[in-house]
Amino acid sequence: MPGDSAARARRLLALLPYLATQGDYPIADVAARAGTDEATLARDLTTLSMCGTDPRDPASMVAVFVENDLVTIFGQLPSLTTPVRLTASEARALAAALEIAGEDASGPLQTRLGAAASEDFDPAELASTVKAAFADGGVASVYGALLDAVTTREVVRIRHTGAGDAGERERLVRPWALAARRGVWYLRGWAEDAGAERTFRLDRISSVEKEGRTFDGSEVPASPDTFEPLSSLSELPRAEIVFAHDAPDLTERDWPAATFQPRPDGSVLASVPYAGTAWIARKVASRLGGAEVVRPAEIRRAVAKMALNLLDGEHVS
Amino acid sequence: MTEPAERLVNLALFIAAAAGPVTADECRRRVEGYPESQDEPAFLRMFERDKDQLRAAGLAIEVDGDGYSLDTEATYRRPMTLSGGDAMMLRAVGAAMLGDESFPFREDLRLALAKLMTDAPDAPSPTVGALGADEIPAEQGAAVSQLADAADARKKVSFGYTNARGGTREHEVEPYGLFLRDGRWYLVARDPSVDGIRTYAVARMSSVATNPKAPRTADFDRPGGFEVRAWIALPFQYAASDAPRVLATLRLTGQAVRTVATLTAEQGMFLPAGPGVLTWRIMVTDPVALASWVVANGPGIELTAPPVALEAMRAGLAKVVDIHAG
């Protein structure tokens, strides 16, 4: 049997419990719950309407039709009205996804959901063979609070440590979205105190408090969760940095939107966009002398200051 | 003509609705979708495949002599109470991971959430996105899905691999586990040709294939106590296999403690050193890379040993100040 038929059958079987109670339901609601799109759901339900225990007995068929964006269930299912347990592979997928969202494998939600899984699923086996994320307890609590605020569009007061900050700062933010990249979660939103779009790493946020007021959802840009730059990088100022000839990791992946120009002596001249001085100063300082900012002067000063602070004892005992 | 997927659903409904065990012949006669013109051996092969597919969907089909029935206890999940917060978390996980092409278990996750959300309270769908592996994400996701299945089934895999120097050669390995680190998936596997465990970047693989012979028979045993996380290396731990290893000691405070799992990839040893302070001990092969890593990942990381790394940091930072002065 072609694999897509088997996959489709699994999807159809997972839908059956949604058809256990007679009534009319908006197709959008059912699709959202079932994790599918409306067109696929409509096709699947049409197929299910042709299924049953006895093709000669209409009363034994799945009694469903879709019309005018409504799912109408007009009879009882012949069987399979109760959700089936998660298979071992489904439980593995759920556990890995929750771990990426910051839910520890031994946390209460994972434990309860684990009870819904087939007895074939072994969480210990998964933990020892697939590692999709590292769950920091503090991040999990921040994630939950921000998720709630993103959903209810409530302004939050966060305590955040910037990349170049020695200590925390309080920020007022209209939270637009949560987005993860390379295993790191970020909050994207409008920083009221700065009057600008900002991105904050969740693992640099120590607390979240709701301000008790909401913001207008119309101000949220399209797809704030896709991690495309909210501001055009072309609008950002650029720094020119010369890297030594043997410098590692000179890729756009490590220096987003940078351009690199090899020079005759083997060194590389990079043009790097930057939104703030702290990030770029720390990255240049971490090269331990293998990189020099040519311009602008403010970044040269920021790099020197950061290195001096580090020498003064921030990191060197 | 009945679609194969319809036949599977019909069979599932029929077995689940039956008051007792049903025979293969009853299924053939009463379940819509089995071709009448089919001979007995062909029917039995199709019936076996169908039962396997239903078991893969979570239905525990028991065999008792010639009869087949559903083990309801093993098939149906028990009622569970999910809070509004739980439902929102699941919706968020779905929104993020189902949209992430590099997440290797997307279809299984979709089905898991469909099964769980049946009786969950209503919850809005939050604006959440994710991209775990950012190099050729769809290819990495598909390869990791295949490699994880092969590791589960203890089946050998083969692939072309391009190393960091640009050389390509074929590998056949025994896959033990996978991890995602800094936006890249890695396979940890034993390479029988060198009798050693190696780590491979999935993005550098091509033409990943699972050994098709004897799919239900394991090709190898994984060593007891294997932990994939033990094979995760930090940037200062990469070096030639004969490079000397030295013990580094670092003091972690503040944010570094809050994010210690992510920061350190749970490598090394952690000792409490006062309220909100940890001492981290870890083996290092490249002390200069360690010094660079400490600066890049601060604040809250203080290097205390080894002296060679401390000296590299002092000299390096002094050079930074020198070339940026004035």
Side-chain angles (χ1 to χ4, degrees):
Chain A
M1 174 181 298
D4 55 351
S5 293
R8 184 151 191 253
R10 288 179 68 189
R11 204 170 67 222
L12 295 173
L13 289 167
L15 280 176
L16 285 173
Y18 289 84
L19 313 179
T21 307
Q22 296 182 43
D24 295 325
Y25 304 94
I27 191 167
D29 290 357
V30 182
R33 274 179 175 270
T36 186
D37 62 86
E38 293 175 32
T40 304
L41 178 65
R43 279 197 303 276
D44 286 349
L45 292 178
T46 301
T47 300
L48 281 174
S49 73
M50 294 182 277
C51 296
T53 54
D54 184 349
R56 294 168 295 273
D57 176 10
S60 78
M61 304 297 282
V62 177
V64 64
F65 66 83
V66 180
E67 195 171 78
N68 298 328
D69 295 333
L70 276 183
V71 176
T72 299
I73 302 161
F74 58 94
Q76 290 190 330
L77 272 180
S79 61
L80 293 174
T81 55
T82 304
V84 169
R85 288 188 187 208
L86 310 190
T87 66
S89 59
E90 291 160 0
R92 175 183 70 179
L94 182 66
L98 284 167
E99 190 177 26
I100 291 172
E103 287 288 329
D104 190 271
S106 57
L109 180 59
Q110 290 250 42
T111 303
R112 275 190 296 136
L113 294 178
S118 146
E119 290 173 0
D120 295 340
F121 175 59
D122 180 357
E125 165 89 358
L126 174 67
S128 64
T129 56
V130 177
K131 188 71 181 159
F134 297 90
D136 286 301
V139 174
S141 63
V142 166
Y143 182 92
L146 288 174
L147 188 61
D148 189 38
V150 165
T151 308
T152 55
R153 298 217 163 97
E154 288 180 86
V155 179
V156 291
R157 184 181 297 272
I158 63 172
R159 294 192 68 79
H160 174 259
T161 306
D165 298 338
E168 288 186 331
R169 289 173 60 197
E170 203 165 76
R171 310 296 301 264
L172 271 178
V173 184
R174 299 174 195 168
W176 290 344
L178 296 178
R181 185 140 191 171
R182 299 188 199 171
V184 178
W185 282 95
Y186 299 86
L187 166 67
R188 315 201 77 182
W190 183 265
E192 291 189 341
D193 46 44
E197 299 164 357
R198 287 288 185 268
T199 299
F200 304 92
R201 276 181 66 139
L202 259 62
D203 59 14
R204 292 179 181 273
I205 298 173
S206 66
S207 68
V208 179
E209 287 177 39
K210 289 184 178 176
E211 272 286 284
R213 57 191 170 90
T214 58
F215 60 94
D216 185 356
S218 64
E219 75 176 46
V220 180
S223 304
D225 55 335
T226 58
F227 232 90
E228 292 304 311
L230 294 180
S231 298
S232 168
L233 286 172
S234 64
E235 295 171 7
L236 293 177
R238 283 181 169 262
E240 286 188 11
I241 305 172
V242 173
F243 291 91
H245 73 282
D246 56 351
D249 299 328
L250 285 188
T251 65
E252 193 179 342
R253 193 169 184 272
D254 292 284
W255 298 85
T259 57
F260 302 96
Q261 183 182 342
R263 305 203 305 179
D265 64 356
S267 63
V268 175
L269 176 64
S271 172
V272 181
Y274 65 96
T277 59
W279 168 80
I280 197 166
R282 185 171 287 280
K283 284 199 68 124
V284 171
S286 73
R287 296 280 169 157
L288 300 179
E292 178 182 0
V293 176
V294 179
R295 65 176 64 86
E298 65 162 337
I299 301 297
R300 284 183 61 84
R301 285 193 296 273
V303 173
K305 183 180 176 186
M306 177 160 288
L308 276 171
N309 286 342
L310 293 168
L311 280 169
D312 282 348
E314 185 187 330
H315 293 235
V316 184
S317 64
Chain B
M1 184 176 165
T2 307
E3 289 180 38
E6 279 179 57
R7 185 183 70 242
L8 281 168
V9 174
N10 289 337
L11 179 61
L13 288 168
F14 180 70
I15 294 175
V22 292
T23 64
D25 186 57
E26 282 178 287
C27 292
R28 183 179 191 180
R29 284 187 287 107
R30 297 183 56 187
V31 172
E32 180 78 358
Y34 289 108
E36 290 180 7
S37 59
Q38 205 171 32
D39 62 26
E40 182 74 3
F43 162 72
L44 289 175
R45 285 195 300 274
M46 180 182 272
F47 187 59
E48 284 303 309
R49 284 197 302 271
D50 286 356
K51 284 192 279 108
D52 284 347
Q53 296 296 351
L54 294 184
R55 288 180 177 122
L59 276 66
I61 298 174
E62 285 195 324
V63 185
D64 183 9
D66 292 337
Y68 300 94
S69 61
L70 203 63
D71 178 347
T72 55
E73 177 70 18
T75 296
Y76 299 123
R77 74 164 165 81
R78 296 181 193 92
M80 60 191 307
T81 305
L82 293 174
S83 68
D86 294 339
M88 189 171 67
M89 173 62 83
L90 292 175
R91 292 289 291 270
V93 161
M97 297 306 148
L98 297 180
D100 179 358
E101 291 184 316
S102 71
F103 183 66
F105 313 122
R106 285 199 298 167
E107 194 50 36
D108 280 320
L109 177 63
R110 190 188 312 280
L111 290 166
L113 293 175
K115 288 179 177 179
L116 290 171
M117 297 303 283
T118 312
D119 46 7
D122 285 332
S125 185
T127 311
V128 183
L131 184 61
D134 55 354
E135 295 172 303
I136 51 170
E139 287 86 344
Q140 284 203 63
V144 172
S145 175
Q146 183 176 353
L147 293 165
D149 287 344
D152 270 355
R154 313 285 199 272
K155 296 300 292 180
K156 288 184 180 178
V157 292
S158 60
F159 49 83
Y161 193 75
T162 305
N163 64 25
R165 295 175 297 283
T168 300
R169 76 172 177 91
E170 285 295 311
H171 291 256
E172 185 182 54
V173 301
E174 298 167 355
Y176 285 179
L178 293 131
F179 66 87
L180 177 67
R181 180 73 181 160
D182 289 337
R184 292 184 172 113
W185 278 103
Y186 296 87
L187 169 70
V188 179
R190 178 177 171 271
D191 182 347
S193 70
V194 295
D195 192 21
I197 296 178
R198 298 285 185 271
T199 301
Y200 304 87
V202 173
R204 292 180 178 275
M205 294 179 181
S206 59
S207 305
V208 177
T210 305
N211 176 20
K213 293 177 185 166
R216 297 183 189 212
T217 305
D219 292 339
F220 61 90
D221 284 327
R222 194 171 58 218
F226 172 80
E227 287 289 338
V228 72
R229 70 184 67 195
W231 293 88
I232 299 174
L234 291 162
F236 44 81
Q237 295 179 308
Y238 291 104
S241 56
D242 58 349
R245 295 163 45 136
V246 293
L247 179 66
T249 306
L250 300 99
R251 187 170 180 270
L252 307 181
T253 57
Q255 173 196 294
V257 172
R258 276 179 29 79
T259 62
V260 67
T262 306
L263 183 70
T264 65
E266 298 173 358
Q267 303 300 297
M269 182 186 296
F270 302 89
L271 302 168
V277 182
L278 288 175
T279 294
W280 179 33
R281 291 182 182 158
I282 184 159
M283 300 306 293
V284 171
T285 53
D286 186 340
V288 177
L290 172 64
S292 173
W293 182 90
V294 167
V295 174
N297 289 278
I301 309 171
E302 184 182 327
L303 178 61
T304 56
V308 62
L310 274 166
E311 185 47 41
M313 177 177 281
R314 288 197 188 96
L317 289 172
K319 187 175 176 187
V320 172
V321 173
D322 186 47
I323 62 179
H324 288 89

